[in-house]
Amino acid sequence: MKNIFFKYARLLASTAIIVNAAPALLIAADGTVEFPATRTVSAISADGSTWVGFQGTPNGNRAFRLLLAIPPTATGTQLPVINGGVASFASSISDDGTVIVGRVALNGGGRRAVLWDNSFNVIDLGTLNGGNDSIAVAVSGDGRTVVGNAADPQFNQQMRAFRWRRATGMESLGTLNNGDASFATGVNFDGKVVVGYSNDGNENNNLRAFRWTEASNQMVSLGTLGGSTSRASGVSGDGKVVVGYSSFGPRDIFDRAFRWTEASNQMESLGTLNNGDNSRANAISSDGKVIVGRSEDGSANNADRAFRWIEAQGMRSLDSLLADSGVDLGGIHMSNANSTNRDGTIIVATGDNTRSYIVRLSLPQSQNATSAGVMDEENFQSSLSQAAATLTFGHRMSDLTLNGAHGKPMRSVLEDGQNSIWAGGDLARLLGDDYSGFRGLGEIGFGHGFGDGVSAQVSIGGFGEETSLDTGGEASGRMLYIVPEVGFDLRDNLRMTLTGLYGRGTLDTRRGYLNGANTDFSEGKSDVATVSARLRLDWVDAFTLQDTKITPFLSYAISRSEQSAYTETGGAFPAEWNAYSDNTHVVRTGLDATYDLDERTTLLGHIEASYGVSGDPPVTGKTIGLSSFSIDNANSGGFGTQAGIGAEYDTGHGVASFMVNGSLGANNPVAWVAASYRVRF
């Protein structure tokens, strides 16, 4: 046994002398990143797919745009600042997510209202009459109108609500009855209605909610709920419903969320949660039916709780609505609802742990979703990324088949008129951090030697893979394949082998993610087809080192894998995945080594380096009822290495082979064993 160990060591050492293995390049398929704890989400697009806000960076606060479920930019695309800017904040986004507005803080003091377009160009919206301060607060649903506030030097640098359009630039909306200042907070879809609050010159300069219309070109006070002040914070898409909050009760010590409608021309109090002291409405859905905000909860010692208001139910906390739907928040409370989408089915909320969440209370009409849910952005994006990585299932089958069961074509060369039959298999263990599990194959085959150095063989087999995904998810794939192969001598010791592969099968994916504190699952099945071809050159027994025969080789393989579209069912956030196809090209070079231990036993060694190039098309789809997504780098190429040791034993009736292998590649390290039994006759 000791002698055999040293023989193996010498075999691999003599092989390694010739080729230095390429360094392993391990790249997480989901571009794993650290999510900042200081992120604040200000608004979401109408379809819920795009979030904007600001987050802390080493260089101060920076505005960001986060496209849901694009892992390489999972921390958000940092938006540029104008010259002289030292910090930035995004406050609003158009319905289609292509226009973002906010402000940039300047190095010399003051602020500038800015607009970011879909190409991340930043546009300075200027100031009023040469003033030194302006901020953009909201953008219309169609992205053409921006509203905000700017200091006006003609009125002693007092703030004035403004409306900005490309054709007209920044225009002051004035104040209520010549009050001191005004502030715009919301704008309807087409930019013809603006809401906010202004000092009212007729009401002792107290702040009053206003509604401004293009038709009248003037502000109109919306009144109060009995107190002396009120503020508007949002407006419906048609401009006919306004929300905000008003002081209430003696000495204005309480605030109440309100709804004002054009039809009634008066404010309506939305109340509080369980007789809490204060409430404020932050936003309204475009259709005007859903209002969100925060309220102190009388049953929770007046702690802040996020609420949703609809006419049929009144004000309810998101906590209670989620609990009614069976969602366990695990002790976290939704403390503030910041924004909502077009129809109020998606709500962006802040937890009392300062993290941002997507909350969905209404199920999409498809009913593929089976429960309401609350989504933590980091965990959910990770689940999509891992599911996207499984779409390379066909390439993984091709790789193990061509470089495992058919990775040593020189061991199956046949003489003139000679036949062979064999059975074999490979079993691999995935050892990476991305996902872990097993894959394996089994096959049978027949070969025939035609003379003049030409031999051919064909095999049929089955491939399977079981992988574990994050949060209890899993993927299970099955595929049947056929491999034709022909080899022939180019000259005395130079041999060419051409190998083809075709396989078809299915992939079942069970994607796990956190829905509150509990694990939820969405499942789907897709069809997979793979076709591959490989050309390999072997310089047979090119030289000998200490009785070890060395065969250098070079190969090129191309593989195309296609996966059908599929739709998940179950869980709170099922997804629709579009059809996916990808081509890979892999070049390999290395050495095969053999050492005859005795008349019946041959020791085997193998070492190689590879480089792969993948088409890397994005994986696309949509979260049902929520948003579309595009995930890059599902199958990154790059450098890889592989090595193995084994032995063949001639039983007298056939040859048994066993080999232990390991590989490092662009995705995951893999260890596997291969065994076969071949009979020649």
Side-chain angles (χ1 to χ4, degrees):
M1 182 65 68
K2 183 176 180 181
N3 287 335
I4 293 176
F5 174 81
F6 282 114
K7 296 292 186 182
Y8 272 127
R10 187 174 69 179
L11 181 72
L12 288 178
S14 60
T15 307
I17 289 171
I18 311 302
V19 174
N20 292 319
L25 182 62
L26 303 178
I27 303 172
D30 63 354
T32 304
V33 290
E34 187 73 21
F35 280 73
T38 57
R39 171 180 294 155
T40 298
V41 176
S42 304
I44 61 173
S45 58
D47 67 357
S49 66
T50 310
W51 307 7
V52 297
F54 61 92
Q55 62 191 30
T57 75
N59 297 317
N61 287 323
R62 288 290 187 273
F64 73 85
R65 182 186 78 165
L66 172 64
L67 292 177
L68 184 63
I70 303 186
T73 57
T75 54
T77 299
Q78 184 171 303
L79 302 176
V81 298
I82 58 177
N83 290 336
V86 294
S88 57
F89 306 82
S91 57
S92 183
I93 186 170
S94 61
D95 278 9
D96 64 4
T98 61
V99 178
I100 302 166
V101 300
R103 66 186 187 273
V104 171
L106 303 177
N107 187 36
R111 300 165 295 180
R112 286 293 184 274
V114 295
L115 177 151
W116 292 277
D117 63 21
N118 201 39
S119 299
F120 303 117
N121 299 309
V122 58
I123 300 172
D124 185 343
L125 303 187
T127 62
L128 286 174
N129 302 314
N132 61 8
D133 197 47
S134 64
I135 64 172
V137 177
V139 62
S140 59
D142 62 11
R144 298 178 179 179
T145 305
V146 182
V147 300
N149 317 302
D152 192 339
Q154 293 186 0
F155 294 92
N156 197 29
Q157 298 292 348
Q158 292 278 15
M159 299 301 288
R160 290 288 187 270
F162 72 75
R163 186 175 74 148
W164 179 95
R165 288 183 167 180
R166 289 182 184 271
T168 59
M170 187 178 291
E171 297 178 306
S172 171
L173 301 184
T175 64
L176 282 172
N177 304 308
N178 298 315
D180 287 344
S182 61
F183 306 85
T185 57
V187 58
N188 77 324
F189 178 81
D190 62 9
K192 295 182 179 181
V193 178
V194 181
V195 299
Y197 53 95
S198 169
N199 297 107
D200 191 337
N202 290 346
E203 299 291 343
N204 297 318
N205 234 16
N206 285 320
L207 291 173
R208 295 294 171 91
F210 75 77
R211 179 175 178 261
W212 177 95
T213 63
E214 184 178 81
S216 67
N217 193 28
Q218 66 177 2
M219 292 181 179
V220 175
S221 171
L222 302 185
T224 71
L225 290 173
S228 59
T229 64
S230 61
R231 303 185 186 205
S233 56
V235 60
S236 60
D238 62 8
K240 295 182 179 181
V241 184
V242 182
V243 298
Y245 60 95
S246 169
S247 60
F248 179 82
R251 300 182 302 281
D252 293 335
I253 59 175
F254 301 120
D255 289 327
R256 288 288 188 274
F258 74 76
R259 180 182 73 152
W260 177 96
T261 64
E262 185 180 69
S264 67
N265 194 29
Q266 65 180 11
M267 286 185 181
E268 169 194 359
S269 172
L270 302 184
T272 62
L273 291 171
N274 301 309
N275 297 314
D277 288 343
N278 297 284
S279 62
R280 294 185 176 187
N282 294 330
I284 184 172
S285 59
S286 294
D287 63 13
K289 297 179 180 180
V290 179
I291 301 168
V292 298
R294 64 181 172 88
S295 171
E296 293 176 351
D297 189 340
S299 65
N301 296 319
N302 265 345
D304 281 340
R305 294 290 185 262
F307 75 76
R308 183 196 72 173
W309 182 97
I310 59 175
E311 194 161 17
Q313 297 181 0
M315 184 181 292
R316 293 281 306 277
S317 73
L318 296 189
D319 287 5
S320 65
L321 289 167
L322 288 166
D324 287 350
S325 299
V327 178
D328 179 8
L329 291 174
I332 296 172
H333 298 283
M334 298 293 106
S335 59
N336 192 24
N338 308 318
S339 185
T340 188
N341 68 330
R342 180 183 292 111
D343 59 4
T345 57
I346 307 298
I347 299 169
V348 168
T350 303
D352 55 9
N353 59 354
T354 72
R355 294 188 65 86
S356 294
Y357 295 87
I358 279 186
V359 176
R360 183 166 71 192
L361 300 171
S362 300
L363 301 181
Q365 293 182 354
S366 68
Q367 295 300 307
N368 283 320
T370 56
S371 64
V374 55
M375 178 202 304
D376 177 288
E377 54 175 309
E378 178 180 3
N379 175 263
F380 187 74
Q381 290 192 76
S382 175
S383 78
L384 287 174
S385 298
Q386 287 206 327
T390 67
L391 298 187
T392 60
F393 169 65
H395 290 308
R396 296 192 296 275
M397 183 279 291
S398 173
D399 180 72
L400 184 61
T401 305
L402 293 182
N403 301 295
H406 295 268
K408 290 171 283 297
M410 298 310 302
R411 309 311 299 168
S412 57
V413 175
L414 299 173
E415 302 296 334
D416 182 13
Q418 190 177 36
N419 299 310
S420 70
I421 56 173
W422 74 91
D426 291 61
L427 180 62
R429 178 75 166 91
L430 285 69
L431 305 173
D433 293 331
D434 293 346
Y435 51 87
S436 60
F438 293 90
R439 66 178 62 134
L441 62 85
E443 67 173 43
I444 58 174
F446 171 79
H448 177 72
F450 292 94
D452 295 326
V454 178
S455 61
Q457 60 184 25
V458 63
S459 60
I460 58 174
F463 173 86
E465 181 178 84
E466 302 283 344
T467 57
S468 299
L469 309 179
D470 281 348
T471 322
E474 59 186 9
S476 175
R478 300 289 183 270
M479 184 174 285
L480 297 177
Y481 66 83
I482 183 170
V483 178
E485 186 171 87
V486 59
F488 51 90
D489 294 333
L490 297 179
R491 52 189 180 88
D492 289 345
N493 61 344
L494 183 62
R495 187 170 180 83
M496 176 182 287
T497 306
L498 299 175
T499 309
L501 179 148
Y502 178 73
R504 292 190 67 90
T506 60
L507 178 66
D508 293 275
T509 304
R510 187 172 188 249
R511 183 170 57 87
Y513 48 88
L514 292 179
N515 182 3
N518 295 329
T519 301
D520 221 340
F521 296 98
S522 297
E523 303 179 24
K525 174 182 284 189
S526 60
D527 297 323
V528 186
T530 299
V531 59
S532 305
R534 183 189 66 188
L535 184 152
R536 173 165 162 154
L537 294 174
D538 286 86
W539 189 6
V540 183
D541 297 341
F543 49 90
T544 301
L545 290 175
Q546 298 181 344
D547 299 326
T548 300
K549 297 176 182 179
I550 306 294
T551 297
F553 68 85
L554 176 68
S555 73
Y556 165 73
I558 182 172
S559 176
R560 178 172 178 81
S561 180
E562 297 181 349
Q563 193 149 337
S564 67
Y566 70 98
T567 300
E568 296 174 344
T569 58
F573 298 101
E576 293 180 1
W577 298 81
N578 296 330
Y580 180 82
S581 62
D582 187 23
N583 297 324
T584 63
H585 306 261
V586 181
V587 176
R588 298 174 182 270
T589 184
L591 305 171
D592 283 326
T594 62
Y595 179 84
D596 293 329
L597 188 64
D598 54 40
E599 291 184 355
R600 289 193 168 189
T601 307
T602 300
L603 304 183
L604 307 176
H606 175 86
I607 190 167
E608 72 175 45
S610 63
Y611 182 76
V613 176
S614 171
D616 278 346
V619 178
T620 60
K622 66 179 180 179
T623 308
I624 298 173
L626 180 61
S627 64
S628 59
F629 57 78
S630 175
I631 303 174
D632 290 336
N633 297 322
N635 181 38
S636 297
F639 288 99
T641 60
Q642 180 177 311
I645 57 174
E648 288 182 346
Y649 181 73
D650 189 344
T651 66
H653 300 286
V655 176
S657 175
F658 181 83
M659 200 155 190
V660 178
N661 306 273
S663 67
L664 292 174
N667 294 311
N668 286 284
V670 178
W672 82 93
V673 295
S676 67
Y677 189 75
R678 182 181 297 268
V679 176
R680 289 181 170 88
F681 57 94

